[in-house]
Amino acid sequence: MLGKSKWPLSIWDFETLRRGGYHYIDKTELVWQLANTLDMAFLSRPRRFGKSMLTTTLKCYFEGKQELFEGLRLAELEAQKGEGAWQKHPVLRFDMSESGHSSLQDLEELLNDQLRYWENTYGVCFEGGAQSRLRQLIQHLACSRGTGVVILIDEYDNPLTHTIEPHKAELHAQYKEVLRGFYSVLKGEMDKLRFVLLTGITQFQHLSLFSGLNNLFDISLTDEYNAICGVTHEELHSTFGEEIEALAKRHGVGRGEMDARLKELYDGFRFSPGGEEIYNPFSIIRALGTGRLKNYWFNSGLPYVVQTLMPGYWYDFRKLDRGVSAGEEELIRFYPDNSNPVPILFQTGYLTVKGYDPIMDTFELGFPNEEVKYDFWKGLIPLVLGVAKDTQSIFHVRDFVGAINGGDIDGFLAQLKALVASIPYSSLDVKNRPPKEERYQVAIYLIFQLAGRYVRAEVHSAKGRSDIEVITPDAIYIFETKVHSEEHPNTAEGAIAQILGMEYAAPYLASEKRVVAIGLVYDGEETVDMGWKELKA
């Protein structure tokens, strides 16, 4: 471990962190601002981004645990209140992720267990279902304590994102009904509540939350709260300057080079039009704490909602390297029948805000950093391609990479043919099934991304546009793909002739790299003809 203080590598609770003497980046000014300017708020953030730390910090603040905030910005702001400082409120915090979510009983037990914990904490016991007990508990606490109750619901949507598969439709509907009743208590008891915060990944409709709670303010895409979770550049370097210096020495590089590497790997998240870029706290803390620059987000596992939904999508993922756009309404809502994966990729952290067009009211989106991009291509795309659990396909990928590295064109074309043939297009819904040529081009592009090669799609030249270009340290491969049919017969030779005739290779002929034209012809099910011609040795 680097540094003298302990690193909170598995700590998500504010009180545990502060009492245990762990490193802490002071986010409490925004916490204080949130608690003292809003009555009800909703925050959407990806996994591993500090939502639980936020809710437990608020819990400690409203419980009046002044000693935990000593030396932090919140203590200074609270002191300015004078006699009104550190008012204590009864707090009810619910963590909706603490369940397997495989049956209606799981959800009922989750709610009852957490209600029982709070009833024991406050020395009461109520009868009835979860909805009734929550109402009675709020009423009792408000009356007996003479002050408003604070409600914190972490991962409010977790039961729903874990039951979105078609075969769980009945359970999903049951969960919605239970949660609709449970959350509706907040609307009925608003006059007894001091503050409410819900966190999650997305906004589910038909829960009587986002339409029923008129005062619920969504802070997810606001500039003001862009950095309430995550680590800003200034916070990182003012808090961990010495640790970054030690990390640079450990890796034998200068401070500037290490700063650039950390930024390239873990920075780049932005959740509002004018917000600054922020680091993923999960990854940057682990990098500093272990001294190793790894893909920590990837190793923590794919979000369940992504694992479930992405295999059903077919999308031209080549667009993501160029950037895509979406409206605010698309980004904040969850529509399970949507054939466009961009909203769920934003909500789960694979895409982030890169720009904003105020005239069109649209957000420009892209990958935040190299770690997330790696996670996307290495962890997510195999699900889309249908090769994530296919051992034979994994072997094909390994052989494919080996052939590319060795400059064995015939070898990697043979492996490419086998990989393309393994992709289960027939399992796609008709509404998601693209034209034959497009899905062939996209499949080749994704396979090269999976193999870790630099790929460009639809590269414009003076005379036209090449389908795919792959750049390795030693060579440049220019692909032209064709679909063969009786009405439109095509050959690999004809595809190569198009590369030559349209002069797609012209920009590269002066380079020192090997330049190769490759023609691939596809009949909708498999590669039927392929060939290549070396344009520059």
Side-chain angles (χ1 to χ4, degrees), residues 69-270:
F69 295 90
E70 184 178 345
L72 300 181
R73 177 63 175 147
L74 184 145
E76 299 175 16
L77 294 168
E78 189 69 9
Q80 296 173 11
K81 289 183 177 180
E83 294 182 359
W86 299 107
Q87 291 186 7
K88 294 184 179 181
H89 296 267
V91 179
L92 304 176
R93 180 182 178 274
F94 297 90
D95 183 349
M96 304 305 290
S97 66
E98 296 182 353
S99 173
H101 302 311
S102 60
S103 68
L104 180 58
Q105 183 180 359
D106 285 343
L107 179 58
E108 292 173 338
E109 288 181 352
L110 169 67
L111 296 175
N112 286 325
D113 286 348
Q114 296 198 30
L115 283 166
R116 187 178 303 113
Y117 170 82
W118 290 116
E119 288 171 349
N120 292 337
T121 298
Y122 291 110
V124 294
C125 181
F126 297 112
E127 301 294 330
Q131 180 178 351
S132 173
R133 289 168 64 193
L134 177 61
R135 178 177 291 108
Q136 293 177 77
L137 185 55
I138 290 173
Q139 292 174 349
H140 168 78
L141 291 173
C143 180
S144 63
R145 303 300 175 98
T147 186
V149 179
V150 172
I151 305 290
L152 306 169
I153 303 180
D154 200 9
E155 304 286 2
Y156 93 98
D157 54 353
N158 193 272
L160 299 177
T161 60
H162 279 70
T163 54
I164 56 175
E165 303 100 310
H167 71 276
K168 292 184 179 180
E170 182 178 354
L171 181 61
H172 186 79
Q174 292 173 336
Y175 274 20
K176 270 193 171 182
E177 189 63 28
V178 171
L179 293 174
R180 181 183 298 115
F182 189 73
Y183 295 144
S184 70
V185 174
L186 304 182
K187 179 181 180 181
E189 304 299 329
M190 285 178 62
D191 61 324
K192 301 175 184 65
L193 302 178
R194 161 62 180 85
F195 179 81
V196 175
L197 175 68
L198 295 95
T199 74
I201 291 176
T202 186
Q203 289 190 16
F204 272 90
Q205 301 303 294
H206 313 302
L207 282 182
S208 302
L209 258 182
F210 300 100
S211 59
L213 295 177
N214 297 328
N215 294 340
L216 185 65
F217 183 61
D218 187 351
I219 64 173
S220 306
L221 300 181
T222 63
D223 290 341
E224 199 171 9
Y225 293 104
N226 173 69
I228 194 167
C229 293
V231 183
T232 67
H233 177 84
E234 192 279 330
E235 288 169 341
L236 176 66
H237 291 275
S238 63
T239 306
F240 297 126
E242 292 182 5
E243 288 78 8
I244 296 173
E245 200 71 58
L247 185 64
K249 290 180 180 178
R250 178 170 182 162
H251 286 262
V253 299
R255 172 64 185 269
E257 184 176 342
M258 179 53 64
D259 288 345
R261 186 60 181 145
L262 292 174
K263 181 175 179 62
E264 179 184 46
L265 276 172
Y266 309 123
D267 194 16
F269 287 93
R270 189 149 65 102

Side-chain angles (χ1 to χ4, degrees), residues 279-294:
Y279 289 80
N280 178 339
F282 180 82
S283 296
I284 192 65
I285 290 297
R286 277 155 182 75
L288 293 173
T290 65
R292 302 179 66 189
L293 305 182
K294 295 175 58 179

Side-chain angles (χ1 to χ4, degrees), residues 334-349:
F334 177 74
Y335 300 101
D337 297 328
N338 190 357
S339 61
N340 179 9
V342 168
I344 198 66
L345 290 176
F346 172 76
Q347 293 160 12
T348 53

